Amino acid sequence: MTGLCLSALAICLGLTASTVPGARLFVHAPREIPCTDTVLLPVDRVLVQSARLLRPTKSGLLESDPIDILIEDGRIAQVGSGLISQLEPGQLALRRPELWLLPAPRVLLRTKNPSSSDLIGAGLHGAGVVGVFGNQPSSEALLARAELDGPGLPILEVVDVKAEPVDRRSFDIAVDLLSELQLPTEAAAVQELLDSMASRPSDPFLPGAPARFLALDSDPRDVPSSLSDPFAIVQGSDLVLKSERLVRLEELAAFHALEPPSFKELGWPVNPSSKQLYRILIGGLPRGYVQVAAWQDHSNETTTVRVAERIAAPLEEEFEASVQWPQGSVECSWRVQNRRVQFQSSGSGSAEENQLQIIPEKAPLEPMVVALQAQDQFLPHTLLILFDALADPSSGATQRIVEVDILTSPVSTNWSARSAPRAVPKQSTSPLLGLCALRAQHRSPPGQLRALPLGVGVQSDAQSTADPSLGLLFCTGANFWPDWLLLETPWGIVEWRSEPRSQP
């Protein structure tokens, strides 16, 4: 995601505490008024109406008559008739003629722990539980990270590495990679999966049980293909309808068909002084790649940084830029869908000569020239802004960052103060993961935000008294190309993960 989204960073504040109002006090009977920091969170409630429950038993699936299931805070609260009266305004009810409700499959991941995007993808494919081999703290951090990206997550269950095979057979499907997960469509494979559910030790429809179900248009025993094509997936108190599920899976497939940009394809010089290839995730799913590299001339007086980005979804995007410091000259080509724009900026030191030319490829848009001040710097990408803040290639000459939004008509331009990075001490645990857990715990809506300066955490010996949890954009790594960045934007979380290794 390019630099147009970065005029400000934001961080979630959580829910504010409430105080009990004081009663009237009398002089002869003074007393303390109790206060409480308890916040009453609304009950997350959803209702599935008139569904036939397919309950696994040792003799096969047992089908019920149409019945209602009320889910509260991710668990079954009631099973009965006429439960629509339990809903409050704004709460969801799922009703469809001839709806079958089947427990979602339990999937065992046989190899390394997944990333947060793997977990989201598994939920979209219909996994109700994902079993991983690992320790509980890292799994909690992984789940907290994934919960920032929205609904539809399966349960993450830690499996003892030394567990007996009989314990591992409590899972219905075993895969080496969650990206390979596909629910079966052929009759024999579907029947094998349904038979494996018979070993479940408890009734998945009892009150108190976690709600993880596939809502099907047909009985999978009669129409096996319906298993892999659910009308909706129930993940706790979240409903992922078929329309949303298919769109997100199509976007995921578009990413898998995308090739990352290479030096050879781009025609870049070899042997850069530093480089990094990132995978970009938007809303929890991988959407594209960005390649960055830096070169210095023989005198070490000029630094050139190049960026090439390829995004497959939700909007197809190609972006390439080259910036030279300290002069600040920029050449940039940016295509979003069918709109292509060229940018050129001389970046000279005088206000009379410092201009930004914006050249649309097609009419009726006319080229425009934006007059810049001497210390303005056009940096059209997040990683260029970060490099300018951390490496300071202009030796402090940059005062303001110029940003352009090509999706508006006409094209809009705005300025923001140059980011001042704030280093945090080394820590074994990322402070961002604590923020993830806090956000997930309080279920804070994305609208509760406040603006913050650019917060950067770097692995260095620098000491700082700053609170590391305040930096929503968090980085680790060296050479000014962090291993990991995370940013909350109006359209969701945007994340950069270095390839080939990634972090949760």
Side-chain angles (χ1 to χ4, degrees):
M1 185 63 64
T2 46
L4 62 90
C5 65
L6 298 174
S7 57
L9 299 182
I11 190 170
C12 180
L13 291 178
L15 300 178
T16 57
S18 61
T19 304
V20 176
R24 184 179 179 184
L25 299 182
F26 297 91
V27 175
H28 63 276
R31 62 187 178 92
E32 294 183 358
I33 305 302
C35 296
T36 178
D37 291 330
T38 302
V39 178
L40 297 178
L41 297 174
V43 176
D44 206 359
R45 187 179 289 118
V46 66
L47 178 68
V48 181
Q49 289 186 279
S50 299
R52 296 179 182 272
L53 311 185
L54 295 175
R55 182 177 281 106
T57 67
K58 292 183 178 180
S59 57
L61 293 179
L62 182 62
E63 179 182 333
S64 75
D65 292 329
I67 199 168
D68 295 349
I69 290 190
L70 181 66
I71 299 167
E72 293 182 350
D73 291 334
R75 293 184 175 272
I76 296 176
Q78 296 183 52
V79 179
S81 301
L83 298 183
I84 189 67
S85 61
Q86 302 293 322
L87 294 187
E88 298 176 0
Q91 294 178 336
L92 295 178
L94 177 65
R95 182 179 178 88
R96 182 176 176 85
E98 299 299 312
L99 193 66
W100 279 260
L101 210 60
L102 177 74
R106 295 168 52 87
V107 178
L108 177 64
L109 183 60
R110 289 183 293 227
T111 56
K112 63 180 183 179
N113 282 355
S115 67
S116 57
S117 57
D118 293 333
L119 202 59
I120 292 170
L124 291 172
H125 278 99
V129 174
V130 172
V132 298
F133 300 111
N135 56 68
Q136 187 65 27
S138 64
S139 300
E140 289 177 350
L142 171 65
L143 189 59
R145 168 67 193 91
E147 286 179 343
L148 289 181
D149 289 304
L153 292 180
I155 296 171
L156 190 63
E157 185 173 301
V158 177
V159 179
D160 186 356
V161 177
K162 300 179 181 179
E164 296 295 329
V166 66
D167 296 327
R168 301 184 186 185
R169 283 201 296 268
S170 62
F171 292 90
D172 308 308
I173 303 173
V175 295
D176 291 327
L177 296 172
L178 285 180
S179 58
E180 299 173 349
L181 175 63
Q182 295 286 342
L183 295 188
T185 57
E186 300 297 328
V190 169
Q191 188 58 52
E192 182 180 357
L193 175 60
L194 297 179
D195 291 342
S196 73
M197 294 182 177
S199 61
R200 298 198 175 189
S202 59
D203 186 349
F205 296 103
L206 283 178
R212 295 297 190 278
F213 304 109
L214 305 179
L216 307 177
D217 288 317
S218 305
D219 188 333
R221 296 169 296 184
D222 299 330
V223 185
S225 60
S226 66
L227 178 72
S228 61
D229 189 28
F231 174 73
I233 297 175
V234 181
Q235 298 281 21
S237 296
D238 296 321
L239 288 178
V240 184
L241 298 180
K242 182 177 181 177
S243 55
E244 176 187 357
R245 173 177 173 269
L246 292 180
V247 167
R248 301 197 78 194
L249 288 177
E250 286 175 359
E251 292 176 347
L252 186 58
F255 165 78
H256 289 307
L258 184 69
E259 292 292 332
S262 65
F263 274 47
K264 183 177 180 181
E265 171 205 342
L266 298 168
W268 287 4
V270 296
N271 301 322
S273 57
S274 62
K275 63 179 180 178
Q276 190 73 279
L277 175 64
Y278 293 95
R279 175 178 299 197
I280 300 177
L281 296 92
I282 305 173
L285 294 180
R287 308 302 181 110
Y289 298 95
V290 57
Q291 176 75 65
V292 293
W295 294 263
Q296 287 187 320
D297 66 1
H298 297 296
S299 64
N300 290 331
E301 293 180 355
T302 300
T303 299
T304 301
V305 174
R306 295 191 176 186
V307 178
E309 182 176 85
R310 303 289 185 265
I311 301 293
L315 295 177
E316 186 180 351
E317 181 178 345
E318 289 185 2
F319 175 91
E320 293 183 26
S322 176
V323 182
Q324 284 191 326
W325 279 283
Q327 56 267 44
S329 60
V330 179
E331 293 185 3
C332 177
S333 172
W334 192 357
R335 181 182 66 82
V336 180
Q337 300 293 75
N338 294 322
R339 175 177 284 193
R340 183 183 292 275
V341 179
Q342 302 285 335
F343 301 89
Q344 292 181 356
S345 173
S346 62
S348 64
S350 78
E352 292 76 16
E353 298 178 4
N354 193 6
Q355 295 180 338
L356 170 62
Q357 299 182 52
I358 304 173
I359 310 168
E361 187 179 67
K362 297 180 180 179
L365 297 176
E366 296 292 333
M368 61 183 294
V369 177
V370 179
L372 307 180
Q373 295 182 11
Q375 294 178 317
D376 289 349
Q377 177 66 62
F378 174 54
L379 296 175
H381 195 279
T382 305
L383 296 176
L384 292 171
I385 295 175
L386 184 64
F387 186 89
D388 178 77
L390 290 176
D392 193 16
S394 64
S395 300
T398 301
Q399 296 295 315
R400 298 192 305 174
I401 303 298
V402 184
E403 299 177 270
V404 179
D405 186 352
I406 70 170
L407 296 180
T408 59
S409 185
V411 173
S412 63
T413 308
N414 57 75
W415 285 258
S416 60
R418 179 181 184 270
S419 300
R422 174 175 50 78
V424 300
K426 281 186 177 180
Q427 296 192 35
S428 58
T429 302
S430 163
L432 185 60
L433 293 181
L435 172 65
C436 296
L438 182 65
R439 164 86 177 270
Q441 176 184 356
H442 290 295
R443 304 176 193 166
S444 303
Q448 293 190 359
L449 305 173
R450 65 184 175 99
L452 288 173
L454 177 64
V456 178
V458 295
Q459 289 183 348
S460 69
D461 295 328
Q463 296 298 318
S464 171
T465 57
D467 180 2
S469 66
L470 294 181
L472 187 57
L473 177 59
F474 182 82
C475 333
T476 60
N479 297 325
F480 312 113
W481 301 126
D483 293 327
W484 184 38
L485 297 90
L486 189 72
L487 178 66
E488 185 171 17
T489 73
W491 45 87
I493 299 291
V494 180
E495 182 174 352
W496 293 261
R497 290 183 183 174
S498 62
E499 295 281 288
R501 61 189 178 92
S502 62
Q503 301 181 13

